[in-house]
Amino acid sequence: MSAANSAHSVVEPGAASKRIAATLVILYAVITLVPLVWIFLTSIKSPPDSISYPPKILFTPSLEGYCNLFTTRTRQTPEYIAALPEPDGICDAVTRKRNMVIAGPSNFLPRFANSLIIAFGSTFLAVGLGTLAAYGFSRFKVPLADDLLFFILSTRMMPPIAVAIPIYLMYRQLGLSDTAIGMMLLYTAVNVSLAVWLLKGFIDEIPREYEEAAMIDGYSRLQAFRKVVLPQATTGIAATAIFCLIFAWNEYAFASLLTSGSAQTAPPFIPTIIGEGGQDWPAVAAGTTIFLVPILVFTILLRKQLLRGITFGAVRK
Amino acid sequence: MAEIRVDHLRKAFGEFVAVQDSSFTVEDGAFLALLGPSGCGKTTTLRMIAGLELPTGGTISLAGEDVTYKRASERDIAFVFQLFALYPHMNVRRNIGFPLLAQGVPKAEIRTRVEETARLLQIDHILDRPVSGLAGGDRQRVALGRAIVRRPKCFLMDEPLGTLDAEFREVMVRELRELHNRIHATTVYVTHDQIEAMAMADRIAVMNHGVIEQFGTPQQIYDRPASMYVADFIGSPPMNFIRFDAGLPKGARTARIGAAEIEMPALRAEVAPGALALGVRPEHIRFSDASPLRGAIYGTEYLGTNQIVTVETQGGLVRARLPAGQSYRIGEPVGLSFKSERLSLFDARSGRVIPSVLHEGALRREARHG
Ligand SMILES: Nc1ncnc2c1ncn2[C@@H]1O[C@H](COP(=O)(O)OP(=O)(O)OP(=O)(O)O)[C@@H](O)[C@H]1O
Ligand SMILES: [Mg+2]
């Protein structure tokens, strides 16, 4: 078996070239990580530290950005604040130092929740529909299959801005503007084309014999799909889901045009934080930091599947 | 277990006809080898019997029931694929038990039946291994296990030994035949390897360009090939053809080739003047100095117990299988004599055999046995 394996593998790189590769990768990682680290550092600075020039590398960390992100505050006279009972919690104390009191929770949490629901919901729908469609295109004689596939791809060729106005008008007529369902449908529609194309590639790689074997073994096509094809397509499904999720999570153009109130997602909301009470960069940075977390977690959770996907073609079953 | 009857089966992919008009019957418990070169329609025939491909015409019946348009899952057959198609996300045990799960067999029974099957195939020690790390022979046995665990009406196998190395293939040929002797399952076995077919099958169907050229026992196919194609495909080296032009009356017992008058089994049909070919197996040739059929040694190939000696004659190169003792010089003149009662005569234009006593005797013998 070892002979067969080595025949398939690439020549093992030497120690020197390995070290060079590692250095390059680390260098690249550092460069790309700088803005992220900067955002995180800004989120734990106090507002004066965040705009000081030259920028401060050493500073006393503060939770003020996070407090401001989650709350709305009103300015009060020092006498009023002095008359208040003991502050209850860190945020209370931080706010009072700026002669303000917490008036209530901000919109960040509901907006963040909208983002979660819309992004994960649309990803689920796009990947689900995409898997079924890709399976169909991969296994059946679909009339005009090539034209259909091209049509599906072509829906992605137009920049979102070009179709945003018609969709806006259409959504108003249908009562879908500023609804989570509307955004979910929209992102699903955009992502499904990507999902079909990506997944068709992965499903084409799975030999038909597996399903045929299952069907001969007494399973229906749908059962064979579920028990034999799906488990082997997990890699492709995971990769596709991440792509879809990243798009839906980061999408800004449609979101800013079609949502304003109850269905607003985090991307159009985060920039609005800056307006509330001066240039509150720590709060914006805090919002951005939190906004990055779900994608990070999702990617880490699917890491194993993704890595398997990279070596997909190399492993002979 | 059941009889498989295929009747005027035809399959076209658009313009291209992969299977022309196949009819044959595999008796209950028999082992049929579908033998032919690459692209002749063996897999297509097998897939139609399995229900993975719908025929363009004709019928297929299993145990007397017409299943031509039934789904694969309703046919109760097992299929062993060339690359085994073991489910990579399941271990050996689950692979073998998978068909039973479909039938709703209770968990405990699945367990015992999987273990029984594994013992039969001597793979009980690897039941809990993942299939991805298995060696070729073990994957082969797992694939067989998955096929026999369900005790289906019949087995279909598509070149199951194609990916194994030559040495191991011989072992598996023996194992497969022994397995067949033990469970007597009706089997259709696709191969392009004549040695596999000869070693295992009760019946062989030789296919060429979507047509079954001959259907018969290994002995019939070897001794009385129905066409020049079959004669050339079977045997290593294949049958020699000595080409000549002649017209022969019915009952003729000799043919004149050049200066030689060669004896052969009496013809049962008249032959119009035209191109003919005399078919001689290499082992039915001897050298005899007296023979008027002359040639010169062209080359020898030593095989241990015997040797293949190639002789250049007026009618082309002729290969003879001779005992290994004697050695020959290249260019040395020799006379050839044939074992006359084993010769076949072919119409060289159509490629079909001309019926002779050889076939009649066979027909009578077969009729007695049948
Ligand atoms: N789905 C298909 N569409 C079009 N042509 C096909 C299809 N399946 C098979 N063929 C053609 O039919 C012919 C017979 O194919 P088949 O697979 O039955 O050959 P085979 O005898 O099994 O050959 P091999 O030894 O290479 O497996 C081939 O020429 C092949 O190209
Ligand atoms: Mg084939």
Short mmCIF file of all heavy atoms in Angstrom, two decimals, chain B residues 282-319:
data_model
loop_
_atom_site.label_atom_id
_atom_site.label_comp_id
_atom_site.label_asym_id
_atom_site.label_seq_id
_atom_site.Cartn_x
_atom_site.Cartn_y
_atom_site.Cartn_z
N PRO B 282 -2.85 -24.32 -31.56
CA PRO B 282 -1.40 -24.57 -31.54
C PRO B 282 -1.05 -25.96 -31.02
O PRO B 282 -0.10 -26.57 -31.50
CB PRO B 282 -0.88 -23.50 -30.58
CG PRO B 282 -1.88 -22.40 -30.68
CD PRO B 282 -3.21 -23.06 -30.92
N GLU B 283 -1.85 -26.49 -30.09
CA GLU B 283 -1.50 -27.80 -29.53
C GLU B 283 -1.91 -28.95 -30.44
O GLU B 283 -1.64 -30.09 -30.14
CB GLU B 283 -2.10 -27.96 -28.13
CG GLU B 283 -3.60 -27.84 -28.04
CD GLU B 283 -4.04 -26.39 -27.87
OE1 GLU B 283 -3.31 -25.48 -28.31
OE2 GLU B 283 -5.12 -26.16 -27.28
N HIS B 284 -2.57 -28.66 -31.55
CA HIS B 284 -2.97 -29.72 -32.48
C HIS B 284 -2.04 -29.78 -33.68
O HIS B 284 -2.39 -30.32 -34.71
CB HIS B 284 -4.42 -29.51 -32.93
CG HIS B 284 -5.39 -29.60 -31.79
ND1 HIS B 284 -6.58 -28.92 -31.76
CD2 HIS B 284 -5.29 -30.26 -30.60
CE1 HIS B 284 -7.20 -29.16 -30.61
NE2 HIS B 284 -6.43 -29.98 -29.89
N ILE B 285 -0.87 -29.16 -33.53
CA ILE B 285 0.11 -29.16 -34.62
C ILE B 285 1.31 -30.00 -34.19
O ILE B 285 1.78 -29.89 -33.05
CB ILE B 285 0.57 -27.73 -34.94
CG1 ILE B 285 -0.63 -26.87 -35.35
CG2 ILE B 285 1.65 -27.74 -36.03
CD1 ILE B 285 -0.29 -25.43 -35.65
N ARG B 286 1.79 -30.87 -35.12
CA ARG B 286 3.04 -31.60 -34.90
C ARG B 286 3.93 -31.38 -36.10
O ARG B 286 3.44 -31.07 -37.18
CB ARG B 286 2.77 -33.11 -34.72
CG ARG B 286 2.12 -33.48 -33.39
CD ARG B 286 3.10 -33.27 -32.24
NE ARG B 286 2.45 -33.38 -30.94
CZ ARG B 286 2.01 -32.32 -30.24
NH1 ARG B 286 2.14 -31.11 -30.72
NH2 ARG B 286 1.46 -32.48 -29.06
N PHE B 287 5.24 -31.54 -35.91
CA PHE B 287 6.14 -31.46 -37.05
C PHE B 287 6.32 -32.86 -37.60
O PHE B 287 6.55 -33.82 -36.85
CB PHE B 287 7.51 -30.93 -36.63
CG PHE B 287 7.48 -29.45 -36.31
CD1 PHE B 287 8.56 -28.85 -35.68
CD2 PHE B 287 6.38 -28.67 -36.65
CE1 PHE B 287 8.53 -27.50 -35.38
CE2 PHE B 287 6.35 -27.32 -36.36
CZ PHE B 287 7.43 -26.73 -35.71
N SER B 288 6.16 -33.00 -38.92
CA SER B 288 6.46 -34.30 -39.51
C SER B 288 7.12 -34.06 -40.85
O SER B 288 6.60 -33.32 -41.69
CB SER B 288 5.19 -35.15 -39.64
OG SER B 288 4.56 -34.93 -40.86
N ASP B 289 8.27 -34.65 -41.03
CA ASP B 289 9.07 -34.39 -42.22
C ASP B 289 8.36 -34.81 -43.50
O ASP B 289 8.56 -34.22 -44.55
CB ASP B 289 10.42 -35.13 -42.12
CG ASP B 289 11.26 -34.56 -40.99
OD1 ASP B 289 11.06 -33.35 -40.69
OD2 ASP B 289 12.06 -35.30 -40.40
N ALA B 290 7.46 -35.81 -43.36
CA ALA B 290 6.79 -36.32 -44.55
C ALA B 290 5.70 -35.38 -45.04
O ALA B 290 5.28 -35.46 -46.19
CB ALA B 290 6.18 -37.69 -44.24
N SER B 291 5.21 -34.48 -44.20
CA SER B 291 4.04 -33.67 -44.55
C SER B 291 4.33 -32.73 -45.71
O SER B 291 5.39 -32.09 -45.76
CB SER B 291 3.59 -32.85 -43.35
OG SER B 291 2.64 -31.91 -43.77
N PRO B 292 3.41 -32.68 -46.68
CA PRO B 292 3.62 -31.77 -47.82
C PRO B 292 3.38 -30.30 -47.45
O PRO B 292 3.69 -29.42 -48.24
CB PRO B 292 2.60 -32.25 -48.84
CG PRO B 292 1.54 -32.93 -48.04
CD PRO B 292 2.17 -33.47 -46.80
N LEU B 293 2.80 -30.04 -46.29
CA LEU B 293 2.58 -28.64 -45.88
C LEU B 293 3.88 -28.15 -45.24
O LEU B 293 4.23 -28.55 -44.14
CB LEU B 293 1.41 -28.57 -44.90
CG LEU B 293 0.88 -27.17 -44.61
CD1 LEU B 293 0.23 -26.58 -45.84
CD2 LEU B 293 -0.08 -27.20 -43.45
N ARG B 294 4.59 -27.31 -45.99
CA ARG B 294 5.94 -26.95 -45.57
C ARG B 294 6.00 -25.53 -44.98
O ARG B 294 5.16 -24.67 -45.26
CB ARG B 294 6.92 -27.00 -46.77
CG ARG B 294 6.92 -28.29 -47.56
CD ARG B 294 7.23 -29.50 -46.73
NE ARG B 294 8.58 -29.45 -46.15
CZ ARG B 294 9.11 -30.41 -45.41
NH1 ARG B 294 8.39 -31.50 -45.14
NH2 ARG B 294 10.32 -30.31 -44.93
N GLY B 295 7.05 -25.34 -44.19
CA GLY B 295 7.28 -24.01 -43.64
C GLY B 295 8.69 -23.92 -43.11
O GLY B 295 9.45 -24.90 -43.19
N ALA B 296 9.05 -22.76 -42.58
CA ALA B 296 10.39 -22.58 -42.02
C ALA B 296 10.25 -21.98 -40.62
O ALA B 296 9.38 -21.14 -40.39
CB ALA B 296 11.21 -21.65 -42.90
N ILE B 297 11.13 -22.44 -39.73
CA ILE B 297 11.07 -21.93 -38.34
C ILE B 297 11.30 -20.42 -38.34
O ILE B 297 12.24 -19.92 -38.96
CB ILE B 297 12.13 -22.61 -37.46
CG1 ILE B 297 11.97 -24.13 -37.47
CG2 ILE B 297 12.07 -22.05 -36.03
CD1 ILE B 297 10.77 -24.65 -36.74
N TYR B 298 10.45 -19.69 -37.63
CA TYR B 298 10.49 -18.24 -37.61
C TYR B 298 10.94 -17.73 -36.24
O TYR B 298 11.58 -16.72 -36.11
CB TYR B 298 9.09 -17.73 -37.94
CG TYR B 298 8.96 -16.25 -38.05
CD1 TYR B 298 9.30 -15.61 -39.25
CD2 TYR B 298 8.46 -15.49 -37.00
CE1 TYR B 298 9.16 -14.24 -39.38
CE2 TYR B 298 8.31 -14.12 -37.14
CZ TYR B 298 8.67 -13.50 -38.32
OH TYR B 298 8.53 -12.16 -38.45
N GLY B 299 10.59 -18.51 -35.20
CA GLY B 299 11.00 -18.09 -33.85
C GLY B 299 10.50 -19.09 -32.83
O GLY B 299 9.59 -19.89 -33.12
N THR B 300 11.09 -19.09 -31.63
CA THR B 300 10.60 -19.98 -30.58
C THR B 300 10.47 -19.19 -29.29
O THR B 300 11.15 -18.19 -29.09
CB THR B 300 11.55 -21.16 -30.32
OG1 THR B 300 12.81 -20.63 -29.93
CG2 THR B 300 11.71 -22.05 -31.53
N GLU B 301 9.57 -19.66 -28.45
CA GLU B 301 9.30 -18.99 -27.18
C GLU B 301 9.24 -20.09 -26.13
O GLU B 301 8.34 -20.94 -26.17
CB GLU B 301 7.96 -18.27 -27.29
CG GLU B 301 7.69 -17.23 -26.25
CD GLU B 301 6.28 -16.67 -26.47
OE1 GLU B 301 5.85 -16.59 -27.65
OE2 GLU B 301 5.62 -16.37 -25.49
N TYR B 302 10.19 -20.10 -25.22
CA TYR B 302 10.31 -21.19 -24.26
C TYR B 302 9.39 -20.94 -23.06
O TYR B 302 9.39 -19.87 -22.49
CB TYR B 302 11.77 -21.28 -23.82
CG TYR B 302 12.02 -22.34 -22.79
CD1 TYR B 302 11.95 -23.69 -23.14
CD2 TYR B 302 12.33 -22.00 -21.48
CE1 TYR B 302 12.18 -24.67 -22.19
CE2 TYR B 302 12.56 -22.96 -20.53
CZ TYR B 302 12.49 -24.30 -20.89
OH TYR B 302 12.71 -25.26 -19.95
N LEU B 303 8.56 -21.93 -22.71
CA LEU B 303 7.59 -21.71 -21.63
C LEU B 303 7.76 -22.69 -20.48
O LEU B 303 6.85 -22.88 -19.69
CB LEU B 303 6.16 -21.83 -22.17
CG LEU B 303 5.71 -20.80 -23.18
CD1 LEU B 303 4.31 -21.12 -23.67
CD2 LEU B 303 5.76 -19.40 -22.58
N GLY B 304 8.91 -23.38 -20.40
CA GLY B 304 9.09 -24.33 -19.32
C GLY B 304 8.77 -25.73 -19.79
O GLY B 304 9.60 -26.40 -20.39
N THR B 305 7.51 -26.18 -19.53
CA THR B 305 7.18 -27.54 -19.93
C THR B 305 6.97 -27.65 -21.43
O THR B 305 7.09 -28.72 -22.00
CB THR B 305 5.90 -28.04 -19.23
OG1 THR B 305 4.86 -27.11 -19.51
CG2 THR B 305 6.10 -28.16 -17.74
N ASN B 306 6.62 -26.58 -22.08
CA ASN B 306 6.49 -26.63 -23.54
C ASN B 306 7.00 -25.33 -24.14
O ASN B 306 7.45 -24.45 -23.43
CB ASN B 306 5.06 -26.94 -23.96
CG ASN B 306 4.07 -25.97 -23.36
OD1 ASN B 306 4.36 -24.78 -23.26
ND2 ASN B 306 2.93 -26.48 -22.94
N GLN B 307 6.95 -25.28 -25.46
CA GLN B 307 7.44 -24.07 -26.13
C GLN B 307 6.50 -23.74 -27.28
O GLN B 307 5.81 -24.61 -27.81
CB GLN B 307 8.85 -24.29 -26.64
CG GLN B 307 8.95 -25.45 -27.62
CD GLN B 307 10.40 -25.68 -28.08
OE1 GLN B 307 11.21 -24.77 -28.07
NE2 GLN B 307 10.71 -26.89 -28.48
N ILE B 308 6.45 -22.45 -27.61
CA ILE B 308 5.65 -22.02 -28.75
C ILE B 308 6.62 -21.79 -29.90
O ILE B 308 7.53 -20.98 -29.80
CB ILE B 308 4.91 -20.70 -28.45
CG1 ILE B 308 4.10 -20.81 -27.17
CG2 ILE B 308 4.04 -20.30 -29.63
CD1 ILE B 308 3.00 -21.83 -27.19
N VAL B 309 6.41 -22.57 -30.97
CA VAL B 309 7.30 -22.45 -32.12
C VAL B 309 6.51 -21.79 -33.25
O VAL B 309 5.43 -22.25 -33.61
CB VAL B 309 7.81 -23.83 -32.56
CG1 VAL B 309 8.74 -23.69 -33.76
CG2 VAL B 309 8.51 -24.53 -31.41
N THR B 310 7.02 -20.70 -33.75
CA THR B 310 6.34 -20.01 -34.85
C THR B 310 6.97 -20.44 -36.16
O THR B 310 8.19 -20.46 -36.31
CB THR B 310 6.47 -18.49 -34.68
OG1 THR B 310 6.07 -18.16 -33.37
CG2 THR B 310 5.59 -17.75 -35.68
N VAL B 311 6.10 -20.81 -37.11
CA VAL B 311 6.57 -21.30 -38.41
C VAL B 311 5.99 -20.40 -39.49
O VAL B 311 4.81 -20.06 -39.45
CB VAL B 311 6.09 -22.76 -38.63
CG1 VAL B 311 6.56 -23.27 -39.99
CG2 VAL B 311 6.56 -23.66 -37.51
N GLU B 312 6.83 -20.01 -40.42
CA GLU B 312 6.35 -19.20 -41.53
C GLU B 312 5.93 -20.13 -42.65
O GLU B 312 6.73 -20.95 -43.12
CB GLU B 312 7.47 -18.26 -42.00
CG GLU B 312 6.96 -17.19 -42.93
CD GLU B 312 7.99 -16.10 -43.14
OE1 GLU B 312 9.18 -16.34 -42.89
OE2 GLU B 312 7.58 -14.99 -43.54
N THR B 313 4.65 -20.04 -43.08
CA THR B 313 4.18 -20.89 -44.18
C THR B 313 3.66 -19.98 -45.27
O THR B 313 3.60 -18.75 -45.10
CB THR B 313 3.03 -21.80 -43.73
OG1 THR B 313 1.88 -20.99 -43.49
CG2 THR B 313 3.38 -22.57 -42.48
N GLN B 314 3.24 -20.59 -46.37
CA GLN B 314 2.67 -19.80 -47.47
C GLN B 314 1.41 -19.09 -47.02
O GLN B 314 1.10 -18.00 -47.47
CB GLN B 314 2.35 -20.71 -48.65
CG GLN B 314 3.56 -20.92 -49.54
CD GLN B 314 3.19 -21.78 -50.73
OE1 GLN B 314 2.24 -22.57 -50.66
NE2 GLN B 314 3.95 -21.64 -51.81
N GLY B 315 0.66 -19.73 -46.12
CA GLY B 315 -0.60 -19.15 -45.65
C GLY B 315 -0.41 -18.21 -44.46
O GLY B 315 -1.38 -17.82 -43.84
N GLY B 316 0.80 -17.86 -44.11
CA GLY B 316 1.02 -16.93 -43.00
C GLY B 316 1.76 -17.61 -41.86
O GLY B 316 2.20 -18.75 -41.97
N LEU B 317 1.90 -16.89 -40.73
CA LEU B 317 2.60 -17.43 -39.57
C LEU B 317 1.69 -18.41 -38.84
O LEU B 317 0.50 -18.16 -38.68
CB LEU B 317 3.00 -16.32 -38.60
CG LEU B 317 4.09 -15.35 -39.08
CD1 LEU B 317 4.41 -14.34 -38.01
CD2 LEU B 317 5.33 -16.11 -39.51
N VAL B 318 2.27 -19.54 -38.41
CA VAL B 318 1.52 -20.55 -37.68
C VAL B 318 2.26 -20.83 -36.38
O VAL B 318 3.49 -21.00 -36.40
CB VAL B 318 1.40 -21.85 -38.51
CG1 VAL B 318 0.83 -22.98 -37.67
CG2 VAL B 318 0.54 -21.60 -39.74
N ARG B 319 1.53 -20.83 -35.27
CA ARG B 319 2.19 -21.12 -34.00
C ARG B 319 1.82 -22.50 -33.50
O ARG B 319 0.64 -22.86 -33.52
CB ARG B 319 1.83 -20.07 -32.96
CG ARG B 319 2.93 -19.02 -32.88
CD ARG B 319 2.51 -17.87 -32.05
NE ARG B 319 1.62 -17.07 -32.86
CZ ARG B 319 1.43 -15.77 -32.68
NH1 ARG B 319 2.00 -15.16 -31.68
NH2 ARG B 319 0.64 -15.09 -33.46
#
